């Protein structure tokens, strides 16, 4: 089997994630310690003992999810399973940073600080209440793009996450997104759900955040990853550091082409996808994109042991 390691994005966070890994594996604990030091605060305490509302804040959720993914990766490595056992890495939105850190392209310290900056910049790009996102279920990407364009009426409304064949998330100005959600049923969608998010991610409204990230990414070292990254905005493999840097900037306003990314990996022979970190959202998407693919979740010591046992 050809394997890919995939890393979850925002929405997968939960209080207590990664704690068992940190207790069972010193290398996993060291990840949380490094993230705490990088941010100058005990993010690990918030992750394990804090309030869900505070963890859900974008500036906290992003580095927290990365820390949990990297802790899971270190636990796998402690059991002899390496990043180079995979043909590719990929991540959903912020998960792309986790993927790059797992593959050695970014240090954990730089990654944590970038994600704190990214979270704040994305939150501050649009005043609270002015932007929105909605999941459109039962329509493909082309139908949703047409729907978003029709509902925009001169405002920003665009397909933001092409998650799988039957789930596309739209993002933009609140009134336009609400119009699109109302129109979706008429266009044949099964459901249209407004999402409980604090900003219109992956839309043109994030342009101020892209400028912040361009500056921040320009100050960190990015190495060639140990295995190629399948990037969100290109849906194909990339290894060249300057190209990765440019794609991370583009990703702030660009769509997450997850369906195409998984299909591309499947087309290269990948048939085994390991979701490393919190939650199981990506595994469900993978199954809907590539029915023949096997999936595995790595979020607890029991998961790591099962992976080691084969």
């Amino acid at each position: 089997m050809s394997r890919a390691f995939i890393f979850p994005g925002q929405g997968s966070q939960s209080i207590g994630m990664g704690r068992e890994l940190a207790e069972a594996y010193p290398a996993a604990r060291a990840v949380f310690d490094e993230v705490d030091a990088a941010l100058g605060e005990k993010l690990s305490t918030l992750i394990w003992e804090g309030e869900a509302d505070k963890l859900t804040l974008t500036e906290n959720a992003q580095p927290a999810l990365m820390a949990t993914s990297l802790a899971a990766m270190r636990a796998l490595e402690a059991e002899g399973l390496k990043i180079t056992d995979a043909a590719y890495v990929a991540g959903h939105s912020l998960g792309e940073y986790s993927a790059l850190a797992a593959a050695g392209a970014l240090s954990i310290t730089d990654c944590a600080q970038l994600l704190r900056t990214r979270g704040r910049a994305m939150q501050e790009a649009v005043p609270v209440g002015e932007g929105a996102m909605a999941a459109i279920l039962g329509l493909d990407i082309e139908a949703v793009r047409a729907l978003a364009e029709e509902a925009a009426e001169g405002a920003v409304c665009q397909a933001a996450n092409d998650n799988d064949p039957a789930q596309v998330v739209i993002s933009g100005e609140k009134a336009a997104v609400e119009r699109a959600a109302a129109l979706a049923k008429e266009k044949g969608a099964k459901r249209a759900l407004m999402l409980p998010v604090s900003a219109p991610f992956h839309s043109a409204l994030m342009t101020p955040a892209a400028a912040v990230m361009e500056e921040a990414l320009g100050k960190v070292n990015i190495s060639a990853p140990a295995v190629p990254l399948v990037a969100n905005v290109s849906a194909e493999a990339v290894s060249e550091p300057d190209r990765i840097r440019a794609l991370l900037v583009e990703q702030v306003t660009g769509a997450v082409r997850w369906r195409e990314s998984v299909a591309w990996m499947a087309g290269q022979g990948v048939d085994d996808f390991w979701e490393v970190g919190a939650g199981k959202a990506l595994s469900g998407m993978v199954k809907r994109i590539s029915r023949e693919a096997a999936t595995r979740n790595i979020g607890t010591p029991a998961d790591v042991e099962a992976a080691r046992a084969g």
Side-chain angles (χ1 to χ4, degrees), residues 33-306:
D33 290 343
E34 185 171 346
V35 170
D36 287 349
L39 300 180
E41 65 181 74
K42 281 281 190 179
L43 185 66
S44 58
T45 301
L46 171 62
I47 298 169
W48 298 333
E49 303 169 11
E51 297 177 0
D53 287 352
K54 188 173 181 185
L55 179 62
T56 300
L57 291 174
T58 302
E59 66 180 69
N60 293 327
Q62 294 198 17
L65 284 161
M66 181 277 295
T68 303
S69 285
L70 267 290
M73 195 70 231
R74 294 291 184 264
L76 286 173
E77 291 165 353
E79 297 291 357
L81 295 154
K82 305 181 295 298
I83 194 74
T84 50
D85 293 335
Y88 303 101
V89 293
H92 193 284
S93 191
L94 84 91
E96 192 153 274
Y97 286 78
S98 306
L100 288 165
L106 284 169
S107 73
I108 290 174
T109 292
D110 284 343
C111 199
Q113 292 172 347
L114 284 169
L115 287 173
R116 172 55 58 83
T117 298
R118 182 178 184 267
R120 285 179 174 163
M122 293 171 88
Q123 185 62 65
E124 292 168 0
V126 180
V128 173
E130 292 189 10
M133 299 180 77
I136 310 298
L137 309 182
L139 294 179
D140 65 18
I141 183 65
E142 294 306 327
V144 173
R145 282 180 181 144
L147 167 73
E149 186 174 345
E150 181 178 342
E153 298 178 7
V156 173
C157 184
Q158 62 195 88
N161 300 345
D162 180 11
N163 285 335
D164 64 42
Q167 185 194 116
V168 181
V169 174
I170 58 174
S171 181
E173 294 175 51
K174 187 177 182 182
V177 172
E178 288 174 341
R179 283 195 298 270
L183 196 59
K185 280 286 187 70
E186 295 177 26
K187 302 295 184 180
K190 291 178 181 176
R191 294 178 75 188
L193 305 170
M194 298 299 292
L195 299 179
V197 295
S198 54
F201 305 130
H202 301 289
S203 76
L205 297 176
M206 290 288 108
T207 299
V212 171
M213 290 312 297
E214 183 171 22
E215 181 179 356
L217 284 158
K219 296 175 180 176
V220 301
N221 180 60
I222 299 178
S223 305
V227 297
L229 170 79
V230 179
N232 284 182
V233 295
S234 66
E236 60 185 20
V238 58
S239 292
E240 203 275 314
D242 285 343
R243 178 69 177 145
I244 289 171
R245 196 186 312 270
L247 290 172
L248 287 174
V249 175
E250 191 178 336
Q251 185 226 58
V252 179
T253 55
V256 176
R257 296 167 60 186
W258 188 253
R259 176 185 56 83
E260 292 175 87
S261 295
V262 172
W264 187 89
M265 287 185 275
Q268 304 301 309
V270 174
D271 53 4
D272 189 22
F273 292 82
W274 290 21
E275 184 172 1
V276 183
K280 299 182 179 181
L282 298 186
S283 297
M285 294 175 195
V286 167
K287 283 291 193 182
R288 291 187 288 274
I289 298 164
S290 180
R291 296 187 186 279
E292 303 79 28
T295 61
R296 183 186 288 272
N297 298 94
I298 310 293
T300 67
D303 295 336
V304 175
E305 177 59 30

